[in-house]
Amino acid sequence: MVLRLSSADADFEARFAALLAMKREVSEDVDAVVATILDEVRRNGDAALIELSKRFDRVDLEAVGLQVTDAEIDAAAADCDPETLKALTFARDRIESHHRRQMPANETYRDDIGVELGHRWTALDSVGLYVPGGTAAYPSSVLMNAVPAKVAGVDRLAMVVPAPDGKLSPLVLAAAKLAGVDEVFRVGGAQAIGALAYGTATIKPVAKIVGPGNAYVAAAKRRVFGTVGIDMIAGPSEVLVIADKTGNPDWIAADLLAQAEHDASAQSILITDDAGLADAVEAAVERQLAVLPRKDIASASWRDFGAIILVGQIDEATALADRIAPEHLEIVAEDADDLSDAIRHAGAIFLGAHTPEAIGDYVGGSNHVLPTARTARFASGLGVLDFLKRTSILRCGPEQLKALGGAAIALGEAEGLHAHARSVSIRMN
Amino acid sequence: MVLRLSSADADFEARFAALLAMKREVSEDVDAVVATILDEVRRNGDAALIELSKRFDRVDLEAVGLQVTDAEIDAAAADCDPETLKALTFARDRIESHHRRQMPANETYRDDIGVELGHRWTALDSVGLYVPGGTAAYPSSVLMNAVPAKVAGVDRLAMVVPAPDGKLSPLVLAAAKLAGVDEVFRVGGAQAIGALAYGTATIKPVAKIVGPGNAYVAAAKRRVFGTVGIDMIAGPSEVLVIADKTGNPDWIAADLLAQAEHDASAQSILITDDAGLADAVEAAVERQLAVLPRKDIASASWRDFGAIILVGQIDEATALADRIAPEHLEIVAEDADDLSDAIRHAGAIFLGAHTPEAIGDYVGGSNHVLPTARTARFASGLGVLDFLKRTSILRCGPEQLKALGGAAIALGEAEGLHAHARSVSIRMN
């Protein structure tokens, strides 16, 4: 039985608050271990990477080389199923063309007293992309992280990916090639983050590190933040579906399960005003679960974190959605547009019955790296802006200095910063 | 004697690299203390704030109240010098009108196969603003942090400021009122960050925390990152001046000292192609230092971290500037525009002889919260975007699903995510 709530119940607020407060991840305290690993990498560089990769990934980097060669990447790509490569290329092109529209404009203007103000965007010189190994090595995520960086104009994009027992995913390497990744290194964990942040003889340091990882990777990113930029710390994925009576229970169930199959700590929630739909979706989930290859994972997620919430009116759903601040929000309802307009906190919104989240995960063109765990309250999905920074520009002539100088001097004096005031007054006399 | 380098010297590269690598801050390891404080605040809420403020700030919050009342704020503002208030209001208006231009546009479009893609910007619901106490309590910084938040549309802006021995800066309170800050609490340190992140009975939690602070505040922000958003971790301030023979040595010296008076760990650097100017600026710095109220601080900064770098041609300066990635960059040269265009990494550029950095610090209109310590390689100054987040929007109809579905199914299957593939195929049959 999945959790069922109804906004008509007397204890609804308490139960909904409990659902929101639910911890879906055990936060391992790996901070001390990570601090040691980072320190080793900073002191010993490549030698530390070799030693740590032996220990954690059972791979001898001295034998196989830290950097994955172009020949290896080409061979891996040649090994991939042509249909999959075609789909990856299609996805790459759509992601690229959508993200090109995100390029912000430079601007310069003169205000009413003639002060010239402006800003200019420039790309980061270099970016590191962390790609997890094992089952979470998704070629689509390589595209979603790498393509916006390249669209922004990042010159050097260095990817790190662990090679447990020496193994790398051919599709991940193919995606790296398609996305224009410049360098690939077979190293993962906190040691890879350390290498990207501090640099080693083989891996030059980068300006920013993006990409998801396990608890060690997340702790390492948190620690190197400031030395380099980092993206959000990703948590388990989630979907919220808002549906009225027009919803197709089988389709909605399929979407809830697409989320649930990611990870036992993923979360799928349905909010509906139709009790019949609620029952039908629950039944459809059970039916579909039976035939899913990743049924164990999806069942655990649905059982532990899934929920169906019944509301009196469908427009009650938007306030609840804002409190959930879901990574993914599907809206299937007659007045989907109005409901969407009322939403304030969501990573991405998928509108209408024919927009399953999986389209956005792969080929919609928008980014699938989105804020999880209620962070859509303050964070955005990955985009071109994450690979650019803005320099502000200011210019005064003698007249503008005269117009602004008095106030600047007054504030400098008031703050006890007399040299600030003096740097203005010396030009006015 | 200040550090003098010349790009013609054989050991220039090594000495310049040493200048870049110079540690200007002793990083105190306060992480364990901060973890304990955050934990106390999370468990005991207001009681912890009361106890910790007694211990660290010698103030009894039970007696004076955690929240600063409107009456107190009004009384503080009434106490301020009217000329200073006028200057603050002038600054507020200019910051507001410049930041209004930063508001990004929402966008929706249909691509060539009819897929609707778009994004929408929404303001954060609530933001916490940390303001340091003591000598670093700058009303101008209150404006620079609070005004962009309000321009973005943040509904609730809660300010925290420590009150050592019960004392608050009247100008800081006046600036908070001018900037539209909604709530002010007299609490500082890691405990204030904990209160903003987790909430207490008196202080409701916020979505993001901005504002500078000491090592405890910085460590606390790093720890709560993820629960809330945070801005950059600010380091000591710095200026780089690029000047050719047209530079006025007294003016340049005044600007170098305006930076140096901030903090003994501030850094002021001049790069010039004119040996005469280099000597004249060095002499002017010494002369001006003698009469500065904050001469001890400014001398220490100039002695320990100041530098004058002589280059053969002025356009050599841009590559060096990019390696320094200065927070503030002043360019005083005949071809200032060309030099500026060549710069990739700088927080803010001040063009021409009549644009001292102090104008930008107070009344230029652009933001003075800028990336320090070489973080301009990956970070931008504070702006309206820091208080907004973007929700992406995707809509397909049956035809678009048909056009995209095959590739999505192929990628879902290839990634072993069959429920993803199924959520698409179930709609296509």
Side-chain angles (χ1 to χ4, degrees):
Chain A
M1 272 283 289
V2 74
L3 178 69
R4 293 281 288 256
L5 305 181
S6 165
S7 68
D9 290 346
D11 62 352
F12 174 74
E13 176 52 35
R15 295 183 71 200
F16 183 72
L19 177 67
L20 283 185
M22 211 176 235
K23 275 251 177 245
R24 289 188 282 138
E25 270 188 314
V26 185
S27 51
E28 282 180 81
D29 191 6
V30 298
D31 218 37
V33 182
V34 164
T36 309
I37 292 173
L38 290 176
D39 195 49
E40 278 179 50
V41 174
R42 200 208 278 254
R43 280 187 294 108
N44 302 328
D46 285 343
L49 300 183
I50 290 167
E51 194 268 323
L52 292 161
S53 297
K54 239 175 231 161
R55 198 192 317 162
F56 296 127
D57 292 330
R58 302 159 307 280
V59 58
D60 182 359
L61 295 183
E62 271 183 304
V64 296
L66 182 48
Q67 184 157 6
V68 181
T69 63
D70 287 350
E72 280 179 277
I73 295 171
D74 289 343
D79 241 21
C80 295
D81 168 50
E83 280 306 304
T84 311
L85 283 185
K86 213 175 122 189
L88 264 184
T89 308
F90 180 72
R92 193 265 322 264
D93 293 345
R94 288 192 55 87
I95 297 164
E96 187 177 317
S97 85
H98 176 67
H99 284 76
R100 284 211 182 285
R101 301 180 65 115
Q102 292 182 356
M103 280 297 282
N106 297 337
E107 194 196 357
T108 310
Y109 68 96
R110 279 177 191 279
D111 69 11
D112 50 4
I113 61 171
V115 178
E116 187 181 316
L117 293 125
H119 65 253
R120 194 171 69 203
W121 294 93
T122 43
L124 278 61
D125 281 343
S126 55
V127 165
L129 165 54
Y130 190 91
V131 176
T135 55
Y138 296 130
S140 60
S141 291
V142 173
L143 297 183
M144 292 290 181
N145 280 279
V147 171
K150 281 295 174 184
V151 167
V154 171
D155 188 50
R156 174 178 165 249
L157 183 53
M159 180 172 123
V160 292
V161 54
D165 301 306
K167 291 198 186 78
L168 290 171
S169 153
L171 271 176
V172 160
L173 295 180
K177 188 181 170 183
L178 277 175
V181 168
D182 300 288
E183 305 164 3
V184 180
F185 301 98
R186 69 187 108 225
V187 60
Q191 58 273 27
I193 301 298
L196 291 170
Y198 308 130
T200 72
T202 306
I203 304 181
K204 279 184 291 182
V206 298
K208 183 170 184 169
I209 301 174
V210 300
N214 63 16
Y216 293 83
V217 171
K221 281 167 71 178
R222 196 181 286 269
R223 281 198 163 256
V224 300
F225 173 54
T227 301
V228 296
I230 61 169
D231 60 352
M232 289 297 304
I233 309 258
S237 196
E238 69 232 359
V239 71
L240 169 63
V241 180
I242 296 177
D244 68 6
K245 63 179 189 298
T246 65
N248 177 320
D250 285 322
W251 297 7
I252 293 170
D255 295 350
L256 296 171
L257 287 173
Q259 195 59 47
E261 78 170 338
H262 263 294
D263 190 332
S265 56
Q267 184 166 50
S268 305
I269 300 177
L270 167 67
I271 302 182
T272 181
D273 61 348
D274 183 332
L277 183 77
D279 292 341
V281 168
E282 187 172 357
V285 165
E286 295 305 330
R287 269 199 316 274
Q288 294 184 26
L289 259 177
V291 299
L292 272 193
R294 290 165 75 99
K295 145 169 103 170
D296 291 348
I297 295 170
S299 306
S301 157
W302 180 242
R303 177 193 67 220
D304 295 340
F305 303 115
I308 296 179
I309 302 173
L310 193 65
V311 290
Q313 304 287 338
I314 197 65
D315 54 11
E316 285 174 43
T318 58
L320 299 179
D322 274 344
R323 290 174 67 188
I324 295 170
E327 183 190 11
H328 306 100
L329 172 61
E330 290 185 11
I331 305 181
V332 185
E334 277 173 342
D335 48 359
D337 281 350
D338 289 345
L339 292 170
S340 171
D341 288 348
I343 295 290
R344 293 182 49 78
H345 309 311
I349 299 178
F350 303 84
L351 284 171
H354 292 86
T355 320
E357 184 209 310
I359 288 290
D361 287 341
Y362 293 122
V363 290
S366 49
N367 210 290
H368 83 195
V369 180
L370 294 165
T372 58
R374 305 188 60 225
T375 60
R377 290 170 299 127
F378 56 82
S380 309
L382 196 73
V384 166
L385 288 179
D386 294 293
F387 301 102
L388 296 166
K389 67 266 183 332
R390 193 183 55 222
T391 298
S392 67
I393 296 164
L394 188 68
R395 170 157 35 200
C396 296
E399 282 169 49
Q400 288 75 42
L401 184 72
K402 211 168 133 190
L404 300 181
I409 291 168
L411 291 172
E413 302 281 356
E415 291 188 348
L417 297 176
H418 297 278
H420 279 63
R422 215 174 162 279
S423 73
V424 177
S425 63
I426 198 174
R427 287 167 159 94
M428 293 175 73
N429 300 330
Chain B
M1 273 282 290
V2 74
L3 178 69
R4 292 282 287 258
L5 305 182
S6 166
S7 67
D9 291 346
D11 61 352
F12 174 74
E13 177 51 36
R15 295 183 72 199
F16 183 73
L19 178 67
L20 283 186
M22 211 174 232
K23 274 253 176 244
R24 289 190 282 138
E25 270 188 316
V26 185
S27 51
E28 282 180 82
D29 191 5
V30 298
D31 218 38
V33 182
V34 164
T36 309
I37 292 173
L38 291 176
D39 194 49
E40 279 179 48
V41 173
R42 199 208 279 253
R43 281 187 293 110
N44 302 329
D46 285 344
L49 300 183
I50 290 166
E51 194 270 322
L52 292 162
S53 298
K54 240 176 229 159
R55 197 192 318 163
F56 296 127
D57 292 329
R58 303 159 305 280
V59 58
D60 181 359
L61 295 183
E62 271 183 304
V64 296
L66 183 49
Q67 184 157 6
V68 181
T69 63
D70 288 349
E72 279 179 276
I73 296 170
D74 290 342
D79 241 22
C80 295
D81 168 51
E83 280 307 302
T84 311
L85 284 184
K86 213 175 121 190
L88 265 185
T89 307
F90 180 73
R92 193 265 323 264
D93 292 346
R94 288 191 54 86
I95 297 164
E96 186 177 316
S97 84
H98 176 66
H99 284 76
R100 283 209 183 287
R101 302 181 65 115
Q102 291 182 356
M103 281 296 282
N106 296 337
E107 194 194 359
T108 310
Y109 68 97
R110 280 177 191 278
D111 69 12
D112 50 4
I113 60 171
V115 178
E116 187 180 315
L117 292 125
H119 65 254
R120 193 171 70 204
W121 294 92
T122 43
L124 277 62
D125 280 343
S126 56
V127 166
L129 166 54
Y130 190 92
V131 177
T135 54
Y138 295 130
S140 59
S141 291
V142 174
L143 297 183
M144 292 292 180
N145 280 279
V147 171
K150 281 296 175 184
V151 168
V154 170
D155 189 50
R156 173 177 165 250
L157 184 53
M159 179 172 123
V160 292
V161 53
D165 302 305
K167 291 197 187 81
L168 290 171
S169 153
L171 271 177
V172 160
L173 295 181
K177 187 180 171 184
L178 277 174
V181 168
D182 299 287
E183 305 163 2
V184 180
F185 301 99
R186 68 187 108 226
V187 62
Q191 59 271 28
I193 300 298
L196 290 170
Y198 308 129
T200 71
T202 306
I203 305 181
K204 278 183 292 183
V206 298
K208 183 170 184 169
I209 302 175
V210 300
N214 63 17
Y216 293 83
V217 171
K221 282 168 70 178
R222 196 181 285 270
R223 281 197 162 257
V224 300
F225 173 54
T227 301
V228 296
I230 62 169
D231 61 352
M232 287 298 303
I233 309 256
S237 196
E238 70 233 359
V239 71
L240 169 62
V241 180
I242 297 177
D244 67 7
K245 63 179 189 299
T246 66
N248 177 320
D250 286 322
W251 297 6
I252 293 169
D255 295 349
L256 296 171
L257 288 172
Q259 195 58 47
E261 76 170 340
H262 262 293
D263 190 330
S265 56
Q267 183 166 51
S268 305
I269 300 177
L270 167 66
I271 302 183
T272 181
D273 60 348
D274 184 330
L277 183 77
D279 292 340
V281 168
E282 187 171 356
V285 165
E286 294 305 329
R287 270 199 316 274
Q288 294 183 27
L289 258 177
V291 299
L292 270 194
R294 290 165 75 99
K295 144 169 103 170
D296 291 348
I297 293 170
S299 308
S301 157
W302 181 242
R303 178 193 66 221
D304 295 340
F305 304 115
I308 297 179
I309 301 173
L310 193 64
V311 290
Q313 304 287 338
I314 197 65
D315 54 10
E316 286 174 43
T318 58
L320 299 178
D322 274 344
R323 290 175 66 189
I324 294 169
E327 183 189 11
H328 307 100
L329 172 61
E330 291 185 13
I331 305 181
V332 185
E334 277 173 342
D335 48 359
D337 281 351
D338 289 345
L339 292 170
S340 171
D341 288 348
I343 296 289
R344 293 182 48 78
H345 309 310
I349 299 178
F350 303 85
L351 284 172
H354 293 87
T355 320
E357 184 209 309
I359 288 291
D361 287 341
Y362 293 122
V363 290
S366 49
N367 210 291
H368 83 195
V369 180
L370 294 165
T372 59
R374 306 189 59 226
T375 59
R377 291 170 298 126
F378 56 83
S380 308
L382 196 74
V384 166
L385 288 180
D386 294 293
F387 301 102
L388 297 166
K389 66 269 181 334
R390 192 183 55 222
T391 298
S392 67
I393 296 164
L394 188 67
R395 170 158 33 202
C396 296
E399 282 169 49
Q400 288 75 43
L401 183 72
K402 210 169 134 190
L404 301 181
I409 292 168
L411 291 172
E413 302 281 357
E415 291 188 348
L417 297 175
H418 298 278
H420 279 62
R422 216 175 160 279
S423 74
V424 177
S425 62
I426 198 175
R427 287 165 158 96
M428 292 176 73
N429 299 331

